[in-house]
Amino acid sequence: MPYPLALALTLLVEVPLYTAALAGLGRVRPARAALAGAAVNGLTHPVLWWSLRHAAAGPAAAYWTAFALAEASVCAVEAVLAGLLTAGRAAPAVGTDARTGTVRLPGPLLAAASLTANASSVLVGMLAAR
C-alpha cells in the first residue's frame, strides 16, 4: 500500500475514534479532540511506516515481532501525546492535577483511546491490503 493511502486510511479510522473517546468520555471539545487525534498520528505514523519498511526486508517472524513492538510503542506514545495535547482543555469534572492545577485526562482513558484507535486502523489496513 502506498504511504499516502496508508496515512489517509489511518486518519480516516483513528481521528473519529479519538474524537469520540476524548470528547465523549474525556469532555474535551470535539475540535480539540480531533486535532489531537490527527496530530498524534502525524507524529507517529511516518516513524512507524519507516521502521516497518526496514523490518519487512527480513524474515517474516522478525517483521511480525517488529510490528508488534512498534504498534505497542505507538500506542504508548500516542496516549502520552494525546494527554499532553488535551491538558487543560477538559472539563473540571475530569480531574485536576493538585500539584499544577492543570486539568488532565485519566491515563486509562488515554491508553484505551490509543489502543482502540490503533487496533482499529491496523485491522482496516490489513483488510484493505487484501
Side-chain angles (χ1 to χ4, degrees), residues 41-70:
N41 278 286
L43 293 171
T44 60
H45 196 273
V47 176
L48 175 70
W49 189 267
W50 178 82
S51 64
L52 289 181
R53 208 175 92 191
H54 290 289
Y63 173 79
W64 289 110
T65 300
F67 178 84
L69 292 172

mmCIF file of all heavy atoms in Angstrom, residues 41-70:
data_model
loop_
_atom_site.group_PDB
_atom_site.id
_atom_site.type_symbol
_atom_site.label_atom_id
_atom_site.label_comp_id
_atom_site.label_asym_id
_atom_site.label_seq_id
_atom_site.Cartn_x
_atom_site.Cartn_y
_atom_site.Cartn_z
ATOM 1 N N ASN A 41 -1.180 11.110 15.215
ATOM 2 C CA ASN A 41 -0.912 10.264 14.059
ATOM 3 C C ASN A 41 0.093 10.895 13.104
ATOM 4 O O ASN A 41 0.909 10.197 12.513
ATOM 5 C CB ASN A 41 -2.221 9.951 13.320
ATOM 6 C CG ASN A 41 -2.942 8.819 13.982
ATOM 7 O OD1 ASN A 41 -2.538 7.681 13.862
ATOM 8 N ND2 ASN A 41 -3.986 9.124 14.725
ATOM 9 N N GLY A 42 0.034 12.210 12.970
ATOM 10 C CA GLY A 42 1.003 12.893 12.127
ATOM 11 C C GLY A 42 2.427 12.744 12.639
ATOM 12 O O GLY A 42 3.381 12.757 11.862
ATOM 13 N N LEU A 43 2.562 12.562 13.944
ATOM 14 C CA LEU A 43 3.887 12.378 14.537
ATOM 15 C C LEU A 43 4.351 10.922 14.532
ATOM 16 O O LEU A 43 5.531 10.648 14.319
ATOM 17 C CB LEU A 43 3.891 12.918 15.967
ATOM 18 C CG LEU A 43 3.726 14.436 16.082
ATOM 19 C CD1 LEU A 43 3.510 14.844 17.535
ATOM 20 C CD2 LEU A 43 4.935 15.143 15.508
ATOM 21 N N THR A 44 3.449 10.002 14.785
ATOM 22 C CA THR A 44 3.875 8.597 14.924
ATOM 23 C C THR A 44 3.833 7.806 13.618
ATOM 24 O O THR A 44 4.642 6.900 13.427
ATOM 25 C CB THR A 44 3.022 7.861 15.970
ATOM 26 O OG1 THR A 44 1.649 7.891 15.564
ATOM 27 C CG2 THR A 44 3.186 8.474 17.348
ATOM 28 N N HIS A 45 2.897 8.115 12.746
ATOM 29 C CA HIS A 45 2.721 7.294 11.543
ATOM 30 C C HIS A 45 3.961 7.262 10.648
ATOM 31 O O HIS A 45 4.367 6.181 10.207
ATOM 32 C CB HIS A 45 1.476 7.737 10.765
ATOM 33 C CG HIS A 45 1.029 6.741 9.761
ATOM 34 N ND1 HIS A 45 1.526 6.706 8.480
ATOM 35 C CD2 HIS A 45 0.136 5.728 9.849
ATOM 36 C CE1 HIS A 45 0.949 5.719 7.819
ATOM 37 N NE2 HIS A 45 0.096 5.110 8.636
ATOM 38 N N PRO A 46 4.593 8.395 10.355
ATOM 39 C CA PRO A 46 5.784 8.330 9.492
ATOM 40 C C PRO A 46 6.916 7.499 10.099
ATOM 41 O O PRO A 46 7.590 6.748 9.394
ATOM 42 C CB PRO A 46 6.211 9.796 9.352
ATOM 43 C CG PRO A 46 5.040 10.605 9.744
ATOM 44 C CD PRO A 46 4.238 9.769 10.695
ATOM 45 N N VAL A 47 7.103 7.607 11.401
ATOM 46 C CA VAL A 47 8.162 6.835 12.066
ATOM 47 C C VAL A 47 7.843 5.347 12.010
ATOM 48 O O VAL A 47 8.713 4.514 11.716
ATOM 49 C CB VAL A 47 8.352 7.307 13.526
ATOM 50 C CG1 VAL A 47 9.369 6.456 14.258
ATOM 51 C CG2 VAL A 47 8.747 8.774 13.554
ATOM 52 N N LEU A 48 6.593 5.002 12.286
ATOM 53 C CA LEU A 48 6.171 3.601 12.236
ATOM 54 C C LEU A 48 6.360 3.048 10.825
ATOM 55 O O LEU A 48 6.914 1.965 10.634
ATOM 56 C CB LEU A 48 4.710 3.469 12.667
ATOM 57 C CG LEU A 48 4.107 2.076 12.553
ATOM 58 C CD1 LEU A 48 4.728 1.153 13.587
ATOM 59 C CD2 LEU A 48 2.604 2.130 12.726
ATOM 60 N N TRP A 49 5.909 3.789 9.842
ATOM 61 C CA TRP A 49 5.998 3.338 8.446
ATOM 62 C C TRP A 49 7.451 3.119 8.045
ATOM 63 O O TRP A 49 7.794 2.108 7.445
ATOM 64 C CB TRP A 49 5.328 4.371 7.540
ATOM 65 C CG TRP A 49 5.183 3.916 6.134
ATOM 66 C CD1 TRP A 49 6.047 4.139 5.095
ATOM 67 C CD2 TRP A 49 4.113 3.150 5.586
ATOM 68 N NE1 TRP A 49 5.573 3.572 3.955
ATOM 69 C CE2 TRP A 49 4.387 2.957 4.221
ATOM 70 C CE3 TRP A 49 2.943 2.622 6.121
ATOM 71 C CZ2 TRP A 49 3.537 2.252 3.392
ATOM 72 C CZ3 TRP A 49 2.100 1.919 5.286
ATOM 73 C CH2 TRP A 49 2.397 1.739 3.940
ATOM 74 N N TRP A 50 8.306 4.066 8.397
ATOM 75 C CA TRP A 50 9.718 3.960 8.043
ATOM 76 C C TRP A 50 10.372 2.754 8.712
ATOM 77 O O TRP A 50 11.090 1.990 8.080
ATOM 78 C CB TRP A 50 10.441 5.243 8.438
ATOM 79 C CG TRP A 50 11.905 5.197 8.146
ATOM 80 C CD1 TRP A 50 12.525 5.435 6.956
ATOM 81 C CD2 TRP A 50 12.947 4.856 9.069
ATOM 82 N NE1 TRP A 50 13.877 5.280 7.082
ATOM 83 C CE2 TRP A 50 14.168 4.926 8.374
ATOM 84 C CE3 TRP A 50 12.961 4.519 10.421
ATOM 85 C CZ2 TRP A 50 15.388 4.661 8.986
ATOM 86 C CZ3 TRP A 50 14.176 4.250 11.024
ATOM 87 C CH2 TRP A 50 15.371 4.328 10.304
ATOM 88 N N SER A 51 10.097 2.565 9.997
ATOM 89 C CA SER A 51 10.740 1.467 10.720
ATOM 90 C C SER A 51 10.243 0.112 10.245
ATOM 91 O O SER A 51 11.020 -0.840 10.136
ATOM 92 C CB SER A 51 10.562 1.618 12.225
ATOM 93 O OG SER A 51 9.199 1.534 12.576
ATOM 94 N N LEU A 52 8.956 0.008 9.944
ATOM 95 C CA LEU A 52 8.434 -1.288 9.483
ATOM 96 C C LEU A 52 8.880 -1.600 8.057
ATOM 97 O O LEU A 52 9.019 -2.766 7.696
ATOM 98 C CB LEU A 52 6.917 -1.327 9.590
ATOM 99 C CG LEU A 52 6.385 -1.407 11.014
ATOM 100 C CD1 LEU A 52 4.866 -1.453 11.015
ATOM 101 C CD2 LEU A 52 6.948 -2.612 11.754
ATOM 102 N N ARG A 53 9.109 -0.582 7.271
ATOM 103 C CA ARG A 53 9.602 -0.809 5.917
ATOM 104 C C ARG A 53 10.956 -1.494 5.958
ATOM 105 O O ARG A 53 11.247 -2.385 5.173
ATOM 106 C CB ARG A 53 9.694 0.531 5.186
ATOM 107 C CG ARG A 53 9.525 0.399 3.704
ATOM 108 C CD ARG A 53 9.505 1.728 3.055
ATOM 109 N NE ARG A 53 10.886 2.003 2.687
ATOM 110 C CZ ARG A 53 11.323 3.156 2.284
ATOM 111 N NH1 ARG A 53 10.514 4.165 2.217
ATOM 112 N NH2 ARG A 53 12.569 3.318 1.943
ATOM 113 N N HIS A 54 11.775 -1.088 6.914
ATOM 114 C CA HIS A 54 13.093 -1.713 7.055
ATOM 115 C C HIS A 54 12.975 -3.121 7.619
ATOM 116 O O HIS A 54 13.739 -4.003 7.240
ATOM 117 C CB HIS A 54 14.006 -0.841 7.912
ATOM 118 C CG HIS A 54 14.400 0.417 7.228
ATOM 119 N ND1 HIS A 54 15.272 0.457 6.168
ATOM 120 C CD2 HIS A 54 14.004 1.696 7.412
ATOM 121 C CE1 HIS A 54 15.413 1.684 5.744
ATOM 122 N NE2 HIS A 54 14.653 2.467 6.480
ATOM 123 N N ALA A 55 12.032 -3.353 8.492
ATOM 124 C CA ALA A 55 11.846 -4.689 9.073
ATOM 125 C C ALA A 55 11.289 -5.664 8.045
ATOM 126 O O ALA A 55 11.514 -6.872 8.143
ATOM 127 C CB ALA A 55 10.919 -4.613 10.280
ATOM 128 N N ALA A 56 10.566 -5.166 7.049
ATOM 129 C CA ALA A 56 9.958 -6.032 6.038
ATOM 130 C C ALA A 56 10.991 -6.732 5.170
ATOM 131 O O ALA A 56 10.678 -7.741 4.525
ATOM 132 C CB ALA A 56 9.006 -5.222 5.161
ATOM 133 N N ALA A 57 12.217 -6.230 5.146
ATOM 134 C CA ALA A 57 13.257 -6.838 4.328
ATOM 135 C C ALA A 57 13.766 -8.152 4.924
ATOM 136 O O ALA A 57 14.370 -8.949 4.212
ATOM 137 C CB ALA A 57 14.424 -5.864 4.163
ATOM 138 N N GLY A 58 13.476 -8.395 6.186
ATOM 139 C CA GLY A 58 13.963 -9.594 6.855
ATOM 140 C C GLY A 58 12.940 -10.718 6.838
ATOM 141 O O GLY A 58 11.933 -10.669 6.130
ATOM 142 N N PRO A 59 13.181 -11.744 7.641
ATOM 143 C CA PRO A 59 12.243 -12.869 7.717
ATOM 144 C C PRO A 59 10.895 -12.451 8.315
ATOM 145 O O PRO A 59 10.806 -11.466 9.053
ATOM 146 C CB PRO A 59 12.947 -13.869 8.636
ATOM 147 C CG PRO A 59 14.148 -13.207 9.174
ATOM 148 C CD PRO A 59 14.348 -11.912 8.473
ATOM 149 N N ALA A 60 9.870 -13.221 7.988
ATOM 150 C CA ALA A 60 8.510 -12.893 8.432
ATOM 151 C C ALA A 60 8.412 -12.815 9.954
ATOM 152 O O ALA A 60 7.741 -11.925 10.485
ATOM 153 C CB ALA A 60 7.514 -13.918 7.883
ATOM 154 N N ALA A 61 9.045 -13.718 10.667
ATOM 155 C CA ALA A 61 8.971 -13.707 12.133
ATOM 156 C C ALA A 61 9.564 -12.416 12.691
ATOM 157 O O ALA A 61 9.031 -11.843 13.646
ATOM 158 C CB ALA A 61 9.697 -14.917 12.714
ATOM 159 N N ALA A 62 10.643 -11.952 12.091
ATOM 160 C CA ALA A 62 11.265 -10.710 12.547
ATOM 161 C C ALA A 62 10.335 -9.529 12.257
ATOM 162 O O ALA A 62 10.226 -8.603 13.070
ATOM 163 C CB ALA A 62 12.617 -10.504 11.871
ATOM 164 N N TYR A 63 9.666 -9.562 11.109
ATOM 165 C CA TYR A 63 8.743 -8.478 10.769
ATOM 166 C C TYR A 63 7.601 -8.408 11.782
ATOM 167 O O TYR A 63 7.273 -7.334 12.277
ATOM 168 C CB TYR A 63 8.166 -8.649 9.363
ATOM 169 C CG TYR A 63 7.084 -7.630 9.089
ATOM 170 C CD1 TYR A 63 7.413 -6.330 8.750
ATOM 171 C CD2 TYR A 63 5.734 -7.958 9.214
ATOM 172 C CE1 TYR A 63 6.433 -5.369 8.531
ATOM 173 C CE2 TYR A 63 4.743 -7.008 9.009
ATOM 174 C CZ TYR A 63 5.102 -5.721 8.655
ATOM 175 O OH TYR A 63 4.132 -4.781 8.454
ATOM 176 N N TRP A 64 6.975 -9.546 12.071
ATOM 177 C CA TRP A 64 5.814 -9.527 12.975
ATOM 178 C C TRP A 64 6.202 -9.175 14.397
ATOM 179 O O TRP A 64 5.436 -8.549 15.131
ATOM 180 C CB TRP A 64 5.043 -10.842 12.898
ATOM 181 C CG TRP A 64 4.332 -10.934 11.579
ATOM 182 C CD1 TRP A 64 4.624 -11.760 10.544
ATOM 183 C CD2 TRP A 64 3.238 -10.110 11.140
ATOM 184 N NE1 TRP A 64 3.779 -11.499 9.486
ATOM 185 C CE2 TRP A 64 2.918 -10.500 9.823
ATOM 186 C CE3 TRP A 64 2.509 -9.088 11.722
ATOM 187 C CZ2 TRP A 64 1.900 -9.901 9.089
ATOM 188 C CZ3 TRP A 64 1.485 -8.485 10.999
ATOM 189 C CH2 TRP A 64 1.190 -8.900 9.698
ATOM 190 N N THR A 65 7.415 -9.540 14.788
ATOM 191 C CA THR A 65 7.913 -9.126 16.106
ATOM 192 C C THR A 65 8.105 -7.617 16.122
ATOM 193 O O THR A 65 7.671 -6.933 17.064
ATOM 194 C CB THR A 65 9.237 -9.847 16.436
ATOM 195 O OG1 THR A 65 9.008 -11.257 16.434
ATOM 196 C CG2 THR A 65 9.782 -9.401 17.784
ATOM 197 N N ALA A 66 8.740 -7.092 15.083
ATOM 198 C CA ALA A 66 8.943 -5.638 14.984
ATOM 199 C C ALA A 66 7.600 -4.918 14.911
ATOM 200 O O ALA A 66 7.412 -3.866 15.521
ATOM 201 C CB ALA A 66 9.794 -5.314 13.757
ATOM 202 N N PHE A 67 6.665 -5.498 14.184
ATOM 203 C CA PHE A 67 5.329 -4.912 14.046
ATOM 204 C C PHE A 67 4.650 -4.798 15.416
ATOM 205 O O PHE A 67 4.123 -3.749 15.774
ATOM 206 C CB PHE A 67 4.488 -5.777 13.103
ATOM 207 C CG PHE A 67 3.085 -5.293 12.931
ATOM 208 C CD1 PHE A 67 2.791 -4.294 12.015
ATOM 209 C CD2 PHE A 67 2.048 -5.825 13.674
ATOM 210 C CE1 PHE A 67 1.499 -3.840 11.852
ATOM 211 C CE2 PHE A 67 0.750 -5.379 13.529
ATOM 212 C CZ PHE A 67 0.470 -4.382 12.607
ATOM 213 N N ALA A 68 4.664 -5.872 16.180
ATOM 214 C CA ALA A 68 4.021 -5.879 17.499
ATOM 215 C C ALA A 68 4.689 -4.870 18.437
ATOM 216 O O ALA A 68 3.999 -4.109 19.129
ATOM 217 C CB ALA A 68 4.069 -7.281 18.101
ATOM 218 N N LEU A 69 6.010 -4.849 18.455
ATOM 219 C CA LEU A 69 6.727 -3.909 19.320
ATOM 220 C C LEU A 69 6.494 -2.462 18.880
ATOM 221 O O LEU A 69 6.306 -1.572 19.717
ATOM 222 C CB LEU A 69 8.223 -4.228 19.330
ATOM 223 C CG LEU A 69 8.610 -5.540 20.010
ATOM 224 C CD1 LEU A 69 10.087 -5.848 19.784
ATOM 225 C CD2 LEU A 69 8.293 -5.487 21.491
ATOM 226 N N ALA A 70 6.487 -2.233 17.579
ATOM 227 C CA ALA A 70 6.287 -0.881 17.060
ATOM 228 C C ALA A 70 4.871 -0.385 17.366
ATOM 229 O O ALA A 70 4.686 0.756 17.790
ATOM 230 C CB ALA A 70 6.557 -0.850 15.562
#
